[in-house]
Amino acid sequence: MEWETVIGLEVHVQLATRSKIFSGSSTAFGAEPNTQACAIDLAMPGTLPTVNAEAFRMATMFGLAINAEINRRSIFERKNYFYPDLPKGYQTTQLASPIVGAGYLDLTLSNGETKRVRIHHAHLEEDAGKSLHEDFHGMSGIDLNRAGTPLIEVVTEPDMRSAEEAVAFAKKLHGLVTSLGICDGDMSQGSMRFDVNISVRPKGQEKLGTRTETKNLNSFKFMEEAIELEIERQIDVLESGGKIVQETRLYNGDTKKARSMRTKEDSNDYRYFPCPDLLPVVLDDAFIEDVRRQMPELPEAKRARYIAELGLPEYDASILSSDAATAAYFEEAAQLSGKPKLAANWVMVELAAQLNRQELTIQQSPISAAALAGLIRRLDDGTISSKMAKIVFEAMWNGEGDADTVIETKGLKQVSDTGALEKIVDDIIANNPQQVANYRSAAEDKRPKMLGFFVGQAMKASKGQANPQELNRILLEKLGG
Amino acid sequence: MDRSEIEKLAHLARLEIRPEEIDEVATRISNVLALVDQLQALDTGNVAPMAHPLDAVQRLRADEVSEPNRRDEFLAIAPATENGLYLVPKVID
């Protein structure tokens, strides 16, 4: 039987505010445990939450970017459950009146097609703390620094039909929230976490199959693997006559295996109700228009600008605009070098390859955008050949200094000086009379191949530093006569 | 409210109710619910739900870090701590 996969996502996006959503504790990552957990975060008796305006500004910005209606009046509710990483005994979240209503994102798939994924809504809520289960004499250790960090949870419609589409959506969303500056996008630190709802159904069937939810995926790679694995599992179960159980699953990226976490039967009854500690938040048109005016350039607009103003091909423009940090790096390198296409090539090829190899983000690149621009300028003005540029790049990556320093210390200057090149060519012609005679008596179409000998000799004589275009021109001129 | 509903609610609220108390608790909660039923009998079809009698709205605060680190004071009143962490009975998903 042919099966169709149906995927919906719930994405937790940590907002890049300085302080928490309901308290004035810092949200900075990496602090000593519990040094950023105040009386409100700890749910001390008698404390009351206060609401961070910036969280609403950021959520509004997100809503505008996905063409959603912003709810002028949004309400916080309590989702009740006991787990020690949220000491209040409930998570403050939004259910009936979330800040961001229905919207959508358009994806460009690898086959060039455009796919619209509808977003059901996005709501504001607080993150939980972290539980550490190892090595506390049978107890769990709790770090509440993260408790109360503002999140928006983005809930899609079940519009995706493959792992590829789900990952494309995830990447698009990542590019969007980082471009908006509302999330740092660092997935290794949990700044974006994906819950994936997956079901399969016989192709052509309208009714959805029973779904499972794979929780807390924090990399695009794990997300793709987990989806492929779960699709395969569900099809296996159904084809062998079994039934899919609605359950929550966990995927382990190290072992490449997934396991069931809990089934629907013992799922929680969250008993949502409006939080009596918080009044409705009312945003007026002036607030929303103000946010609209502050919106930074979105990836789509960047892409169009790279094509129209910088003359980049569509492919380059799409790649460079999709991620805010990459876009910023590229734009700086393009501007400082004055050569957008060369900058695009270097960022997408050499730099991307090195970053990948060493698993670094572009912000961690040992070569700054300004330093790369310096290299591009030397390549563009003919000081070095593109072959030499790769050697210089390597050296810069290894911390041997900027382009000019490396060119100087390694003696990589390209010889473009006509006088010097003419001298080399004259010597070669004088020392190889037989080859010169052969060349001159050869048919026109045989000559290009024979020229290789002279180029080789000249390169050898110049220790590989002759400017190839200039050398070719001089050789042709002198051999032709 | 029957016994099983009380048991379920008690579990969700992490309250310990002894078996001999369940009937009494069920009666009391049922009485409260009866009161709510009386309120619900009112026709509120043309009354908008309100969060506050004065129709107040939430004030928002500026995004500034205002809470200092008071970990030592908080850890001092916790039943069990280690390496700056609060220790709780083991929880595993």
Side-chain angles (χ1 to χ4, degrees), chain B residues 46-84:
Chain B
N46 50 11
V47 181
M50 92 176 123
H52 189 277
L54 300 177
D55 222 10
V57 298
Q58 183 66 38
R59 287 184 55 172
L60 304 180
R61 89 182 136 76
D63 181 26
E64 281 156 14
V65 175
S66 55
E67 292 289 340
N69 171 20
R70 291 171 62 199
R71 180 174 77 169
D72 291 345
E73 292 161 68
F74 293 131
L75 287 178
I77 54 172
T81 62
E82 189 172 311
N83 296 334

Coordinates of all heavy atoms in Angstrom, one line a residue, chain B residues 46-84:
Chain B
N46 N -25.7 37.8 27.8 CA -25.3 39.1 27.2 C -24.4 39.8 28.2 O -24.3 41.0 28.1 CB -26.5 39.9 26.9 CG -27.5 40.0 28.0 OD1 -27.2 39.6 29.1 ND2 -28.7 40.5 27.8
V47 N -23.7 39.0 29.0 CA -22.6 39.7 29.9 C -21.3 39.1 29.4 O -21.1 37.9 29.4 CB -22.9 39.3 31.4 CG1 -21.8 40.0 32.2 CG2 -24.3 39.7 31.8
A48 N -20.4 40.0 29.1 CA -19.0 39.6 28.7 C -18.3 39.1 29.9 O -18.4 39.7 31.0 CB -18.3 40.8 28.0
P49 N -17.5 38.0 29.7 CA -16.7 37.5 30.8 C -15.7 38.7 31.3 O -15.2 39.4 30.5 CB -15.9 36.4 30.2 CG -16.5 36.1 28.9 CD -17.2 37.3 28.5
M50 N -15.5 38.8 32.6 CA -14.6 39.8 33.0 C -13.6 39.3 33.9 O -13.8 38.3 34.7 CB -15.4 41.0 33.7 CG -15.7 40.9 35.1 SD -16.5 42.4 35.6 CE -18.0 41.8 36.3
A51 N -12.4 39.8 33.8 CA -11.3 39.3 34.6 C -11.1 40.1 35.9 O -10.4 39.7 36.8 CB -10.0 39.4 33.8
H52 N -11.8 41.3 36.0 CA -11.6 42.2 37.1 C -12.8 43.1 37.2 O -13.3 43.5 36.2 CB -10.3 43.0 36.9 CG -9.9 43.8 38.1 ND1 -10.4 45.0 38.3 CD2 -9.0 43.5 39.0 CE1 -9.8 45.5 39.4 NE2 -8.9 44.6 39.9
P53 N -13.3 43.3 38.4 CA -14.5 44.1 38.5 C -14.4 45.5 37.9 O -15.4 46.1 37.5 CB -14.8 44.1 40.0 CG -13.6 43.6 40.7 CD -12.9 42.8 39.7
L54 N -13.2 46.0 37.9 CA -13.0 47.4 37.4 C -12.5 47.4 36.0 O -12.0 48.4 35.5 CB -12.0 48.2 38.3 CG -12.5 48.3 39.8 CD1 -11.4 49.0 40.6 CD2 -13.8 49.0 39.9
D55 N -12.5 46.2 35.3 CA -12.1 46.1 33.9 C -10.6 46.6 33.8 O -10.2 47.1 32.8 CB -13.0 46.9 33.0 CG -13.3 46.2 31.8 OD1 -12.9 45.0 31.7 OD2 -13.8 46.7 30.8
A56 N -9.8 46.3 34.8 CA -8.4 46.7 34.7 C -7.7 45.8 33.8 O -8.1 44.7 33.5 CB -7.8 46.6 36.1
V57 N -6.6 46.3 33.2 CA -5.7 45.5 32.4 C -4.3 45.4 33.0 O -3.9 46.2 33.8 CB -5.6 46.0 30.9 CG1 -7.0 46.1 30.3 CG2 -5.0 47.4 30.9
Q58 N -3.6 44.4 32.5 CA -2.3 44.1 33.1 C -1.3 45.2 32.7 O -1.2 45.6 31.6 CB -1.8 42.8 32.5 CG -0.4 42.3 33.0 CD -0.5 42.0 34.5 OE1 -1.4 41.4 35.0 NE2 0.6 42.4 35.2
R59 N -0.6 45.7 33.7 CA 0.5 46.6 33.4 C 1.8 45.8 33.0 O 2.0 44.8 33.6 CB 0.8 47.5 34.6 CG -0.3 48.5 34.8 CD 0.0 49.4 36.0 NE 1.3 50.1 35.8 CZ 1.8 51.0 36.6 NH1 1.0 51.4 37.6 NH2 3.0 51.5 36.4
L60 N 2.5 46.3 32.1 CA 3.7 45.6 31.6 C 4.9 46.4 32.2 O 4.9 47.6 32.4 CB 3.8 45.6 30.1 CG 2.6 45.0 29.4 CD1 2.8 45.1 27.9 CD2 2.3 43.6 29.8
R61 N 6.0 45.6 32.5 CA 7.2 46.2 33.0 C 8.3 46.2 31.9 O 8.3 45.4 31.0 CB 7.7 45.5 34.3 CG 8.6 44.3 34.0 CD 9.0 43.5 35.2 NE 8.9 42.1 34.9 CZ 9.9 41.5 34.1 NH1 10.9 42.1 33.7 NH2 9.7 40.2 33.8
A62 N 9.3 47.1 32.1 CA 10.4 47.2 31.1 C 11.3 46.0 31.3 O 11.3 45.4 32.4 CB 11.2 48.4 31.4
D63 N 11.9 45.6 30.2 CA 12.8 44.4 30.2 C 14.1 44.7 30.9 O 15.1 44.9 30.2 CB 12.9 43.9 28.8 CG 13.8 42.6 28.8 OD1 13.8 41.8 29.8 OD2 14.4 42.4 27.7
E64 N 14.1 44.7 32.2 CA 15.4 44.9 32.9 C 15.6 43.9 34.0 O 14.7 43.4 34.6 CB 15.3 46.3 33.6 CG 15.6 47.4 32.6 CD 15.0 48.8 33.1 OE1 14.6 48.9 34.3 OE2 14.9 49.7 32.2
V65 N 16.9 43.5 34.2 CA 17.2 42.6 35.2 C 17.2 43.3 36.5 O 18.0 44.2 36.7 CB 18.6 41.9 34.9 CG1 19.0 41.0 36.1 CG2 18.5 41.1 33.6
S66 N 16.3 43.0 37.4 CA 16.2 43.7 38.7 C 16.4 42.8 39.9 O 16.5 43.3 41.0 CB 14.8 44.4 38.8 OG 13.8 43.4 38.6
E67 N 16.5 41.5 39.6 CA 16.6 40.6 40.8 C 18.1 40.2 41.0 O 18.7 39.6 40.0 CB 15.8 39.3 40.5 CG 14.3 39.6 40.5 CD 13.7 39.9 42.0 OE1 14.4 39.5 42.9 OE2 12.7 40.5 42.0
P68 N 18.6 40.5 42.1 CA 20.0 40.0 42.4 C 20.0 38.5 42.7 O 19.0 37.9 42.9 CB 20.4 40.8 43.6 CG 19.1 41.1 44.3 CD 18.0 41.1 43.3
N69 N 21.2 38.0 42.7 CA 21.4 36.6 43.0 C 21.3 36.4 44.5 O 22.1 36.9 45.3 CB 22.8 36.1 42.5 CG 23.2 34.7 43.0 OD1 22.3 34.0 43.4 ND2 24.4 34.4 43.1
R70 N 20.3 35.7 44.9 CA 20.1 35.4 46.4 C 20.1 33.9 46.6 O 19.4 33.4 47.5 CB 18.8 36.1 46.9 CG 18.9 37.6 46.9 CD 17.5 38.2 47.2 NE 17.0 37.9 48.5 CZ 15.8 37.9 48.9 NH1 14.9 38.4 48.0 NH2 15.4 37.6 50.1
R71 N 20.9 33.2 45.8 CA 20.8 31.8 45.9 C 21.1 31.2 47.3 O 20.4 30.3 47.8 CB 21.9 31.2 44.9 CG 21.9 29.7 44.9 CD 22.7 29.1 43.8 NE 24.1 29.2 44.2 CZ 25.1 28.6 43.5 NH1 24.8 27.9 42.5 NH2 26.4 28.7 43.9
D72 N 22.1 31.8 48.0 CA 22.5 31.2 49.3 C 21.3 31.3 50.2 O 21.1 30.3 51.0 CB 23.7 31.9 49.8 CG 25.0 31.7 49.0 OD1 24.9 30.7 48.2 OD2 25.9 32.4 49.1
E73 N 20.6 32.4 50.2 CA 19.5 32.5 51.2 C 18.4 31.5 50.8 O 17.8 30.9 51.7 CB 18.8 33.9 51.1 CG 19.7 35.0 51.6 CD 19.3 36.4 51.1 OE1 18.2 36.8 51.6 OE2 20.0 37.0 50.3
F74 N 18.1 31.3 49.5 CA 17.1 30.3 49.1 C 17.5 28.9 49.4 O 16.7 28.1 49.8 CB 16.7 30.5 47.7 CG 16.0 31.8 47.4 CD1 16.4 32.6 46.3 CD2 14.9 32.2 48.1 CE1 15.8 33.8 46.1 CE2 14.3 33.4 47.9 CZ 14.7 34.2 46.8
L75 N 18.8 28.6 49.1 CA 19.2 27.2 49.3 C 19.2 26.9 50.8 O 18.9 25.7 51.2 CB 20.7 27.0 48.8 CG 20.9 27.0 47.3 CD1 22.4 26.9 47.0 CD2 20.2 25.8 46.7
A76 N 19.4 27.9 51.7 CA 19.5 27.7 53.1 C 18.1 27.2 53.6 O 18.1 26.5 54.7 CB 19.9 28.9 53.8
I77 N 17.0 27.5 53.0 CA 15.7 27.1 53.5 C 15.1 25.9 52.8 O 14.0 25.5 53.0 CB 14.7 28.3 53.5 CG1 14.6 28.9 52.1 CG2 15.0 29.3 54.5 CD1 13.4 29.9 52.0
A78 N 15.9 25.3 51.8 CA 15.5 24.1 51.1 C 15.8 22.9 51.9 O 16.8 22.8 52.6 CB 16.1 24.1 49.7
P79 N 15.0 21.8 51.8 CA 15.3 20.6 52.6 C 16.6 19.9 52.2 O 17.2 19.3 53.0 CB 14.1 19.7 52.3 CG 13.0 20.6 51.6 CD 13.7 21.7 51.1
A80 N 16.9 19.9 50.9 CA 18.1 19.2 50.5 C 18.7 20.0 49.3 O 18.0 20.3 48.4 CB 17.8 17.8 50.1
T81 N 20.0 20.2 49.3 CA 20.7 20.9 48.2 C 22.1 20.2 48.0 O 22.6 19.6 48.9 CB 20.9 22.4 48.5 OG1 21.8 22.5 49.7 CG2 19.6 23.1 48.8
E82 N 22.6 20.4 46.9 CA 24.0 20.0 46.6 C 24.5 20.8 45.4 O 23.9 20.9 44.4 CB 24.0 18.5 46.3 CG 25.4 17.9 46.3 CD 25.4 16.4 46.2 OE1 24.7 15.8 47.0 OE2 26.1 15.9 45.3
N83 N 25.7 21.2 45.5 CA 26.4 22.0 44.4 C 25.5 23.0 43.8 O 25.5 23.2 42.6 CB 26.8 21.0 43.3 CG 27.8 20.0 43.7 OD1 28.6 20.3 44.6 ND2 27.9 18.9 43.1
G84 N 24.8 23.7 44.6 CA 23.9 24.8 44.1 C 22.6 24.4 43.6 O 21.8 25.2 43.1

